Amino acid sequence: MSSIVAQSHYIFGLRTGVINNLCYFDEQTVIFPCGNNCVRYNIDQRWQRFIPGTEKSQGMLALAISTNRRYLAVSERGEKGTITVFDLQHEQSRKRKVLSGGDVSVLEFVCMAFSPDSKYLIGQAGAPDWTLFYWMWEKQKVMASVRTTGPTNPISQVSFNPQDNTQVCVSGSGVFKLFRYTEGVLKQSNILKTESQNILCHAWLSEERILAGTETGRLLAFESGDLRWEMSVTSRPAPEGSEAEGSAAQVRAPRVTAITAYSKGFVCSAGPGTVCLFEKTEEKDNYRKTREIKIPVDPCSNEPSQAAQQEIVTLCVSPSEETLVTSTDKGQLYCITLSSAEMSKGEEAHFEFLSHSFHSNSITGLSTCIRKPLVATCSLDHSVRVWNFDTNVLELYKEFQEEAYSVSLHPSGLFILVGFSDKLRLMNLLIDDVRSFKEFTVRGCRECAFSYGGHMFAAVNGNVIHIYSTTTFENLMNLKGHNGKVRSVVWSADDSRLVSCGMDGAVYEWNTLNSKRESESVLKSCSYTGVAISSDGKSIFAVGTDRTLKEIQDCQILREVAADDVAYTSIAVSRSGRVLFAGTAIGTVRAIKYPLSIQKDWIEYQAHAGAVTKMVITFDDQFLLTVSEDGCLLVWKIIDKEGRGLKRDKDVTYAEEILITKSDLEEKNQVMLELKTRVEELKMENEYQLRLKDMNHNEKIKELSEKFMQQMESLKTKYQVALAQCFIDPSAKSVVSFPPESTGNQKLMLEYQKYQELQLKCQRMQEGHDGQLQALEETREQALQDITLFYQAQLQEKTHLLSHCQDESRQQVREFDETKKQMEEDWDREVHNIRIKYERKLREEKEVSLRLKGETGVMKKKFSSLQREIDERNMEIDKLRVELQKLQGFIKALEKDIMDLKKESKERDETIQDKEKRIYDLKKKNQELEKFKFVLDYKIKELKKQIEPRENDIKEMKEQILEMEGELDRFHKKNTQLELNTAELKLKLKATDKEMHKEMQRVKDLEAFVRRFKSDLHNCVGFMQEPKQLKDGIRELYDRYVQQSDVVDIVGVDADIQREYSRQREHLEKNVASLKRKLAKDSEVHRTQKVKIMKENVSLIKEINELRQELRLVRAQVHDYESQAGVNKRKQMLASVRTQGAGQVARLNFEEEAERIIELQRREIQRLRLEIQSQGQIHSLQTSSSTTRLPTLTA
């Protein structure tokens, strides 16, 4: 077996769906189911002890603890339902008894309960029979059984009367029954119709009273089996009004799912996340609600109010009634101190987590780091949690909007990579938060893993593996090769290789330096779910749906170990290389010795209640961590068989640094500074107040001391005067004469006399008290003497009685000794008689034995001689047997040969008959094929006749097409010529436009010239009265504006330009009009010709398609004919063999003729194919030249 074992160390989670899944063992210890174990959890010291479930168990259904808290009953589902009773006082919680339904087939027990004296146990079987069993469990004896309900009314709870072992209560949907065990039978003791009530739970408040909770939020009180009163669990009574309002209130009513009683009253659930305390009032049979306790909102959740909507499943009060614990349908455990809940009357009371917040759905991801004792998990409950497996606490916890599929911790423990349904996020693990700082567009990342160096990470997207850099966030490479989804990836120790496996049955080893695939192992019949690599990187271990563990080396499966009809889901390898751990689909964990052996060398542990989804070994090989679909994280301690942990290569010192953002640090520093300043201010204020108080107190002390000193002085003087007067000699009274006015001295004398009288009175009282004390002392001594005498008398009576008892006991001892003596004498006498009898028998037997010895000596001699003869005969028999075996073997061989020959002859006869039948059928088919051949020949001839005229038509059309192409070329040439002409005309038009613009510019210049001339002329007109200046001005105008040559040239040039321009314009207009008419006529002719050609091409293509279809039919017929001809040829060869060559010449001539005909037909078909291909190419060229799209040719 494996020299290394795994020991359950700690577990995080709670198994839901178990009835009564939380109970107290003692004041500090609770018991709850987790995975396939029951956990004993010490609340104060936070240690756990495990009670494993039975092998091949399909899950726990219910728990029950005895009244004396010594025994625990666990109901489990399997091939048949069982109840296992454990002794909790034993250190290992030893299994005491296993109970079943006996002869009755029971699939499961849904609920159960112990009797008040813990000697009896009741268990309610599930559907379809719903039988209640009553056991004396220590003797495994079924005392009675009874059917409690029908198939449509399930039972929710059963219980014993707390004062009576024989009375049992059963409640459920429409069921509330009391049974009493009498005369070996469980008889129903009440008749109550509760079909309309779905009773979810009940509790015994006293010997006669039972309180039940319903689905509609009602509390029903039963006494002696009859309903006494009912009330609503809500604080406000149901509103009175219409029926619609009543039905709405009923819909909104909370479900009462759990009730438990305690000395002051009872505790019950009151809807989602609410528990109510009810206490008994002074009035008879009346209870009032004193407190509501709620589950607090979860600040780490994306919907904080969702935690308060959990439904209470179980309520349990500690033995001292100090603490209330509860479990919810989301797998959480809460507790509260009842004294604190009762004291906080004005405030709302809230539960606290009993240990930590657990996952409430299947865990999909698991990862550890190197530098810290941390493990990260993610779940379908949208949460990511970071646990510390060294201190067994929950370090960080956060919920997100999306489901988390995979998780990976950075080796430093400061970063975490989480694959969500929409993106892959890289996040910081801060001191109190998990905060995202980089997102990658990888949707539905089911697997991700950091490298051991932490500088890279791999992320799976379907069947592609992306490798990213942790520092630059670049996509370094994409590893493609899997045809199915990748289910697992793992890095080698030096980060140079990556191993992956997928649902396509492939295990690939990738080189992460050049992104090439180094090795592969493909097994299509297996869908792999997990892969691991050895510490030296030489071996790869893979598990999948084929229920085997494979060791792969150099692309080959080196070893394959079967798993005994259980599928492995995940695998982990220790770095020491001594052991493998594999998780199964039924939730167990196996420690498998390495190197692998063919034999089943493993140890199996009961771990989870669902398939193990992930498992990982810590970097120092000290712990194994497993998670499952049941939402539990289980920490295993890896030890050797002596109980010692594995030796570490070097001591691992975990890092203590944490991450905190700058803004958070600044905010905390700011808060610290504000608090420091506030503290300083408070100090200064307190010091100032203290100084003020000291000053006030000093002043008051001073005043009081002065006042006290004055009073002391006055009292001292009064005291001295009083002393002086008190100690005056009485004889001097007559001598000393007081003046009549000295009344003070007289008063003092009177007081002194009173003092003397009082002193005498005090002495008399003292004497009286002494006398009373003496009398009391005498009476006490007298009473003591009386009591002493009384007890001495009683003591004498007791001693007398004791002596009498001792005498009786001595007498009884003497009688006993006498009877003993007589019995011994009787026994001795009987023994003596028996001895004499058996000695006589012994002598007789000795004589018989001596006689028999003589006879045996003679018989021995005879026997030896007979033995020798027997040996000789045996030798002969052995020889004959050997010969017989040889002959039998030879005969068997001959018989076998005969049988084989007979079988062979029969088979040959059958084959000959089949061949003859087939030959006959083939002959018939040959005749039909010959007829068919004649028909085909005729058809081929007809087709040839049809093809010849069509070929002539095709030739004529080719000539027409060639003529049309020539005309089309001519038209193209004309069009090009016309385009050239239009281009020249455009150039001329551009030139005329330029000249026109020049003339316009010239006209503008002339107009400006005229304007200047007019202005100068206007200036000259101003000299009309002065002729000389007028003359000079006109001369100046003439010199400036008039030149004779210019006038002549301008007039001539303008006339010529106008004439030439008009002539050119008329000519161009005539040419353009004629060209337009010619172009329209040519385009109309060309369009009609093109439409005609298109119609002809369409008809030709249709004909070619029809010809091709006919040709395909002919080919198929020819192929059938060739195959039949080949069959006929083989038949003819067989027939020629059977008839030993008869008619060979005729058949050969026929076969040669047939082959010749087939060859001619093949050549003809080949020629037709070539012609059709050539025609198809010609038509394709025609269709490509035209703009109209033609119908496609069918192949």
Side-chain angles (χ1 to χ4, degrees):
M1 300 299 286
S2 174
S3 59
I4 295 176
V5 296
Q7 185 181 29
S8 300
H9 178 65
Y10 211 86
I11 194 164
F12 299 97
L14 173 68
R15 182 170 180 178
T16 57
V18 178
I19 303 298
N20 193 28
N21 62 356
L22 182 62
C23 51
Y24 262 100
F25 171 60
D26 56 32
E27 193 62 34
Q28 290 82 29
T29 309
V30 293
I31 298 175
F32 57 87
C34 188
N36 201 25
N37 301 276
C38 284
V39 181
R40 295 169 60 176
Y41 175 67
N42 188 291
I43 301 170
D44 296 335
Q45 300 177 7
R46 294 183 178 271
W47 53 255
Q48 291 182 353
R49 301 287 184 270
F50 295 87
I51 305 172
T54 58
E55 294 182 6
K56 297 182 180 179
S57 168
Q58 297 176 9
M60 297 180 186
L61 295 174
L63 299 182
I65 193 165
S66 62
T67 310
N68 59 7
R69 305 187 188 278
R70 178 175 178 179
Y71 303 109
L72 176 71
V74 180
S75 168
E76 293 178 289
R77 184 192 294 115
E79 295 177 358
K80 62 177 183 178
T82 59
I83 296 176
T84 308
V85 181
F86 295 92
D87 186 356
L88 297 177
Q89 290 189 356
H90 192 268
E91 187 177 355
Q92 301 298 327
S93 299
R94 181 169 56 88
K95 185 188 294 186
R96 287 291 297 267
K97 299 293 178 184
V98 178
L99 309 177
S100 63
D103 298 334
V104 182
S105 177
V106 177
L107 298 177
E108 60 186 17
F109 291 96
V110 295
C111 50
M112 53 196 172
F114 278 97
S115 64
D117 59 0
S118 305
K119 292 181 179 179
Y120 301 96
L121 179 72
I122 53 172
Q124 176 65 59
D129 295 333
W130 295 102
T131 305
L132 179 68
F133 291 88
Y134 186 94
W135 287 282
M136 182 182 286
W137 65 267
E138 289 186 343
K139 296 183 179 180
Q140 295 178 310
K141 180 181 178 182
V142 178
M143 306 290 288
S145 63
V146 66
R147 187 169 180 177
T148 55
T149 184
T152 58
N153 299 96
I155 300 299
S156 59
Q157 187 178 351
V158 296
S159 64
F160 270 102
N161 187 323
Q163 306 295 330
D164 189 356
N165 289 344
T166 62
Q167 192 173 17
V168 176
C169 178
V170 178
S171 65
S173 177
V175 178
F176 184 83
K177 295 180 180 179
L178 292 175
F179 293 91
R180 187 171 290 278
Y181 176 73
T182 55
E183 299 176 357
V185 179
L186 283 169
K187 295 181 180 179
Q188 187 174 349
S189 59
N190 73 322
I191 299 173
L192 187 67
K193 292 184 178 180
T194 56
E195 288 81 4
S196 61
Q197 301 284 356
N198 183 7
I199 298 175
L200 302 178
C201 56
H202 71 261
W204 292 80
L205 300 182
S206 65
E207 188 177 355
E208 296 291 332
R209 182 176 298 168
I210 305 173
L211 189 69
T214 68
E215 192 176 24
T216 58
R218 307 294 294 174
L219 294 173
L220 312 177
F222 299 90
E223 283 190 11
S224 302
D226 298 327
L227 180 63
R228 294 298 182 190
W229 53 266
E230 66 176 291
M231 62 181 288
S232 174
V233 76
T234 55
S235 58
R236 291 190 296 267
E240 297 180 3
S242 63
E243 293 182 0
E245 291 177 354
S247 63
Q250 188 173 358
V251 170
R252 292 192 299 270
R255 286 158 44 97
V256 181
T257 54
I259 296 178
T260 185
Y262 72 115
S263 60
K264 294 182 180 180
F266 64 91
V267 185
C268 68
S269 64
T274 306
V275 172
C276 293
L277 296 178
F278 287 84
E279 290 185 2
K280 194 171 184 179
T281 60
E282 295 179 355
E283 299 177 11
K284 185 180 179 182
D285 303 336
N286 198 5
Y287 294 87
R288 64 181 180 88
K289 184 163 68 173
T290 59
R291 197 79 184 118
E292 269 194 9
I293 309 169
K294 293 185 177 293
I295 294 176
V297 296
D298 191 354
C300 297
S301 174
N302 55 354
E303 295 181 4
S305 62
Q306 197 69 28
Q309 299 301 314
Q310 300 179 81
E311 190 169 84
I312 305 296
V313 175
T314 305
L315 289 169
C316 186
V317 180
S318 65
S320 63
E321 297 185 352
E322 290 184 0
T323 309
L324 173 68
V325 293
T326 181
S327 64
T328 68
D329 60 340
K330 296 294 184 183
Q332 307 298 328
L333 294 175
Y334 295 95
C335 69
I336 190 171
T337 305
L338 288 175
S339 58
S340 64
E342 292 170 358
M343 286 170 63
S344 58
K345 295 289 183 184
E347 301 175 1
E348 193 174 39
H350 288 98
F351 283 103
E352 298 175 353
F353 280 112
L354 183 66
S355 58
H356 305 289
S357 172
F358 300 138
H359 283 293
S360 60
N361 208 332
S362 174
I363 299 176
T364 56
L366 175 70
S367 178
T368 60
C369 61
I370 299 173
R371 295 279 291 131
K372 291 186 176 184
L374 300 180
V375 54
T377 57
C378 64
S379 170
L380 296 180
D381 62 4
H382 300 193
S383 70
V384 175
R385 298 168 197 259
V386 180
W387 315 82
N388 189 317
F389 58 80
D390 192 23
T391 58
N392 300 322
V393 296
L394 177 64
E395 294 280 352
L396 288 172
Y397 154 51
K398 189 170 184 180
E399 280 194 12
F400 298 88
Q401 294 286 342
E402 303 84 13
E403 291 181 344
Y405 295 134
S406 59
V407 67
S408 180
L409 271 176
H410 192 270
S412 65
L414 300 175
F415 312 102
I416 189 170
L417 188 68
V418 185
F420 293 96
S421 56
D422 59 343
K423 288 180 182 177
L424 177 70
R425 291 184 174 90
L426 185 60
M427 296 184 279
N428 286 324
L429 292 180
L430 303 178
I431 186 172
D432 55 357
D433 193 14
V434 181
R435 197 170 297 172
S436 174
F437 72 93
K438 182 65 180 177
E439 294 182 348
F440 303 89
T441 56
V442 181
R443 295 178 63 84
C445 179
R446 299 279 177 175
E447 286 293 325
C448 60
F450 275 105
S451 63
Y452 283 96
H455 59 291
M456 293 185 292
F457 64 86
V460 174
N461 185 9
N463 57 357
V464 181
I465 304 170
H466 304 286
I467 306 294
Y468 289 90
S469 170
T470 309
T471 53
T472 62
F473 309 124
E474 293 180 3
N475 188 359
L476 301 177
M477 60 191 76
N478 296 322
L479 307 179
K480 299 179 181 178
H482 284 281
N483 295 324
K485 290 183 178 179
V486 179
R487 294 294 301 273
S488 180
V489 294
V490 61
W491 291 85
S492 63
D494 57 356
D495 294 338
S496 63
R497 289 177 298 159
L498 181 76
V499 179
S500 64
C501 70
M503 299 180 71
D504 56 353
V507 177
Y508 293 144
E509 186 177 6
W510 309 86
N511 189 318
T512 55
L513 302 176
N514 53 19
S515 73
K516 290 183 179 179
R517 194 162 59 203
E518 289 192 346
S519 66
E520 62 181 30
S521 174
V522 181
L523 185 63
K524 296 289 185 182
S525 62
C526 176
S527 177
Y528 287 110
T529 57
V531 69
I533 187 170
S534 61
S535 56
D536 56 3
K538 294 180 180 178
S539 299
I540 299 170
F541 304 95
V543 293
T545 56
D546 62 349
R547 300 180 177 180
T548 58
L549 168 63
K550 299 176 181 65
E551 182 179 3
I552 302 170
Q553 283 187 7
D554 301 327
C555 305
Q556 299 294 326
I557 297 175
L558 187 64
R559 293 181 188 86
E560 194 168 357
V561 181
D564 280 353
D565 298 330
V566 176
Y568 288 130
T569 56
S570 57
I571 188 169
V573 184
S574 66
R575 284 170 181 78
S576 63
R578 293 168 60 188
V579 68
L580 296 162
F581 291 99
T584 66
I586 61 173
T588 58
V589 173
R590 290 179 177 176
I592 306 170
K593 187 177 180 181
Y594 185 75
L596 298 177
S597 62
I598 300 172
Q599 298 176 352
K600 298 166 183 176
D601 193 5
W602 64 62
I603 301 174
E604 190 167 23
Y605 304 98
Q606 299 299 315
H608 294 279
V612 178
T613 53
K614 297 288 179 184
M615 61 192 317
V616 67
I617 298 175
T618 58
F619 187 73
D620 56 358
D621 275 356
Q622 297 298 308
F623 296 98
L624 168 70
L625 309 165
T626 60
V627 294
S628 168
E629 292 177 355
D630 61 4
C632 297
L633 166 64
L634 185 51
V635 182
W636 304 79
K637 182 77 173 173
I638 302 176
I639 57 176
D640 55 17
K641 283 198 170 181
E642 286 74 23
R644 297 189 299 269
L646 299 185
K647 291 183 179 179
R648 308 185 188 187
D649 297 334
K650 55 182 179 179
D651 291 335
V652 178
T653 304
Y654 291 122
E656 295 182 356
E657 62 268 12
I658 55 171
L659 283 182
I660 184 167
T661 60
K662 187 177 179 182
S663 59
D664 290 345
L665 187 61
E666 289 175 351
E667 185 179 351
K668 289 183 186 297
N669 289 334
Q670 185 66 30
V671 170
M672 286 173 65
L673 286 172
E674 290 176 358
L675 291 173
K676 282 182 180 178
T677 54
R678 179 66 178 158
V679 168
E680 293 294 331
E681 290 174 359
L682 289 172
K683 277 184 180 179
M684 291 174 65
E685 188 176 353
N686 288 335
E687 288 176 357
Y688 177 68
Q689 293 292 336
L690 286 172
R691 283 198 297 272
L692 286 177
K693 287 181 180 179
D694 288 340
M695 291 171 65
N696 292 330
H697 290 157
N698 289 330
E699 288 177 358
K700 286 181 180 180
I701 288 168
K702 193 173 180 182
E703 290 175 359
L704 289 172
S705 59
E706 288 177 354
K707 191 175 181 181
F708 178 70
M709 290 299 291
Q710 290 174 1
Q711 290 178 357
M712 286 280 288
E713 290 294 330
S714 63
L715 289 171
K716 276 183 182 179
T717 54
K718 286 180 181 180
Y719 180 69
Q720 288 176 0
V721 171
L723 279 177
Q725 289 178 356
C726 286
F727 286 102
I728 294 173
D729 191 4
S731 61
K733 286 182 182 179
S734 59
V735 179
V736 181
S737 61
F738 294 99
E741 60 271 8
S742 61
T743 57
N745 294 332
Q746 291 176 2
K747 284 181 181 179
L748 281 174
M749 290 300 295
L750 290 171
E751 289 294 329
Y752 182 68
Q753 289 174 1
K754 285 180 183 179
Y755 171 72
Q756 285 180 343
E757 289 173 1
L758 288 171
Q759 197 169 4
L760 291 171
K761 191 176 180 181
C762 181
Q763 286 177 0
R764 285 195 296 271
M765 287 176 69
Q766 186 70 31
E767 290 173 358
H769 284 112
D770 290 340
Q772 287 179 2
L773 281 173
Q774 191 173 1
L776 286 171
E777 186 69 25
E778 290 174 356
T779 54
R780 186 183 66 80
E781 287 179 357
Q782 185 65 33
L784 184 62
Q785 287 176 1
D786 295 340
I787 291 167
T788 304
L789 291 171
F790 173 72
Y791 280 109
Q792 281 178 355
Q794 283 191 348
L795 185 60
Q796 287 176 359
E797 290 177 2
K798 296 291 183 184
T799 52
H800 180 68
L801 184 62
L802 182 62
S803 62
H804 180 66
C805 290
Q806 286 176 353
D807 293 337
E808 286 182 355
S809 66
R810 282 194 292 272
Q811 183 67 26
Q812 288 176 0
V813 168
R814 282 195 297 271
E815 290 176 358
F816 176 73
D817 291 338
E818 187 66 28
T819 53
K820 183 181 176 184
K821 196 174 184 182
Q822 290 176 1
M823 289 176 72
E824 285 177 354
E825 289 176 356
D826 293 338
W827 282 113
D828 290 339
R829 196 162 43 250
E830 288 180 7
V831 167
H832 182 66
N833 294 331
I834 292 167
R835 185 179 295 141
I836 292 167
K837 181 181 175 183
Y838 282 104
E839 282 178 355
R840 191 183 303 116
K841 281 186 179 180
L842 185 61
R843 282 195 299 272
E844 292 174 358
E845 292 293 333
K846 282 181 179 178
E847 291 173 359
V848 171
S849 65
L850 287 171
R851 189 170 63 252
L852 290 172
K853 277 182 183 178
E855 291 176 0
T856 52
V858 176
M859 294 298 290
K860 276 183 182 178
K861 290 178 182 178
K862 289 181 181 180
F863 178 73
S864 59
S865 62
L866 289 171
Q867 189 69 36
R868 281 195 297 273
E869 291 178 3
I870 289 165
D871 292 338
E872 292 172 358
R873 295 292 175 87
N874 284 335
M875 290 172 69
E876 292 176 0
I877 289 166
D878 290 337
K879 289 177 183 178
L880 292 171
R881 192 175 288 151
V882 171
E883 291 177 0
L884 180 64
Q885 286 177 355
K886 287 180 181 177
L887 291 171
Q888 284 177 351
F890 186 65
I891 289 163
K892 284 181 181 178
L894 291 174
E895 287 177 352
K896 199 172 185 181
D897 293 338
I898 290 164
M899 293 295 292
D900 293 338
L901 290 170
K902 283 181 180 179
K903 285 181 183 178
E904 192 174 352
S905 64
K906 283 183 182 178
E907 289 172 358
R908 287 188 178 181
D909 291 337
E910 290 174 357
T911 52
I912 288 165
Q913 290 176 4
D914 294 337
K915 293 279 179 71
E916 286 177 353
K917 286 180 184 177
R918 196 172 178 191
I919 288 163
Y920 178 72
D921 295 336
L922 290 172
K923 281 181 180 179
K924 281 187 177 180
K925 285 184 181 179
N926 195 8
Q927 291 175 1
E928 292 175 359
L929 288 171
E930 285 177 356
K931 293 177 185 177
F932 193 61
K933 178 191 169 191
F934 178 74
V935 174
L936 285 175
D937 290 338
Y938 178 74
K939 282 188 177 181
I940 289 167
K941 288 177 183 178
E942 290 293 328
L943 287 170
K944 284 181 180 178
K945 288 178 183 178
Q946 290 177 7
I947 287 168
E948 286 177 359
R950 288 182 180 176
E951 286 179 351
N952 295 328
D953 294 338
I954 289 167
K955 286 180 182 178
E956 291 175 1
M957 288 177 182
K958 281 182 182 178
E959 292 173 357
Q960 289 179 4
I961 289 166
L962 290 172
E963 291 174 0
M964 290 177 181
E965 285 179 353
E967 289 181 3
L968 189 64
D969 291 336
R970 288 195 297 276
F971 284 133
H972 280 308
K973 287 178 182 178
K974 286 181 181 179
N975 285 332
T976 52
Q977 187 63 36
L978 289 172
E979 286 175 357
L980 291 171
N981 292 334
T982 53
E984 289 176 0
L985 290 171
K986 283 179 180 179
L987 290 172
K988 287 181 181 179
L989 282 171
K990 284 182 181 179
T992 54
D993 286 337
K994 286 181 181 179
E995 290 177 358
M996 185 179 70
H997 287 304
K998 285 181 182 178
E999 290 299 324
M1000 289 174 72
Q1001 186 65 34
R1002 190 174 176 186
V1003 167
K1004 288 179 181 177
D1005 294 340
L1006 288 171
E1007 287 177 352
F1009 184 78
V1010 169
R1011 283 196 297 273
R1012 288 198 303 276
F1013 179 75
K1014 282 182 178 181
S1015 63
D1016 292 339
L1017 185 63
H1018 181 72
N1019 293 330
C1020 289
V1021 169
F1023 299 112
M1024 287 293 292
Q1025 301 298 326
E1026 297 177 357
K1028 188 176 181 179
Q1029 289 181 357
L1030 181 65
K1031 184 179 178 181
D1032 294 334
I1034 291 169
R1035 187 182 290 113
E1036 187 178 353
L1037 285 172
Y1038 183 80
D1039 293 336
R1040 185 184 297 172
Y1041 294 105
V1042 178
Q1043 291 182 1
Q1044 191 65 32
S1045 61
D1046 292 338
V1047 173
V1048 175
D1049 292 338
I1050 287 164
V1051 172
V1053 168
D1054 289 340
D1056 292 337
I1057 286 168
Q1058 289 293 330
R1059 284 195 298 275
E1060 183 65 23
Y1061 176 72
S1062 61
R1063 189 176 63 77
Q1064 291 287 343
R1065 184 172 180 179
E1066 288 175 0
H1067 177 69
L1068 287 172
E1069 286 176 352
K1070 287 178 182 178
N1071 285 338
V1072 168
S1074 63
L1075 286 171
K1076 282 182 179 179
R1077 287 193 298 275
K1078 197 171 183 180
L1079 182 63
K1081 194 183 290 181
D1082 291 342
S1083 62
E1084 183 67 25
V1085 171
H1086 185 65
R1087 189 179 64 78
T1088 55
Q1089 289 177 353
K1090 190 184 289 184
V1091 169
K1092 184 179 178 183
I1093 290 166
M1094 287 297 299
K1095 289 179 180 177
E1096 290 175 353
N1097 286 341
V1098 169
S1099 62
L1100 288 171
I1101 287 167
K1102 288 181 179 177
E1103 289 178 0
I1104 289 166
N1105 286 337
E1106 291 173 357
L1107 288 171
R1108 285 186 175 177
Q1109 290 178 357
E1110 292 177 0
L1111 186 60
R1112 280 202 301 275
L1113 293 172
V1114 171
R1115 282 178 187 167
Q1117 291 171 358
V1118 169
H1119 179 70
D1120 293 339
Y1121 176 72
E1122 287 175 356
S1123 62
Q1124 292 297 331
V1127 171
N1128 290 334
K1129 198 182 291 181
R1130 288 195 294 273
K1131 282 169 68 178
Q1132 289 165 4
M1133 289 173 66
L1134 290 169
S1136 64
V1137 169
R1138 292 187 66 188
T1139 54
Q1140 296 181 356
Q1144 284 182 353
V1145 177
R1147 287 190 179 84
L1148 288 172
N1149 292 333
F1150 175 77
E1151 289 170 2
E1152 290 174 358
E1153 183 69 21
E1155 287 179 358
R1156 188 174 62 76
I1157 290 166
I1158 290 166
E1159 188 63 31
L1160 290 172
Q1161 288 177 352
R1162 282 179 181 168
R1163 289 177 183 173
E1164 184 65 23
I1165 289 165
Q1166 189 69 26
R1167 186 181 66 75
L1168 289 171
R1169 282 180 182 169
L1170 292 171
E1171 288 182 1
I1172 289 166
Q1173 286 177 0
S1174 62
Q1175 292 297 325
Q1177 290 175 359
I1178 291 167
H1179 284 289
S1180 66
L1181 289 170
Q1182 289 177 358
T1183 55
S1184 64
S1185 64
S1186 65
T1187 58
T1188 308
R1189 193 169 182 178
L1190 297 175
T1192 57
L1193 294 173
T1194 58

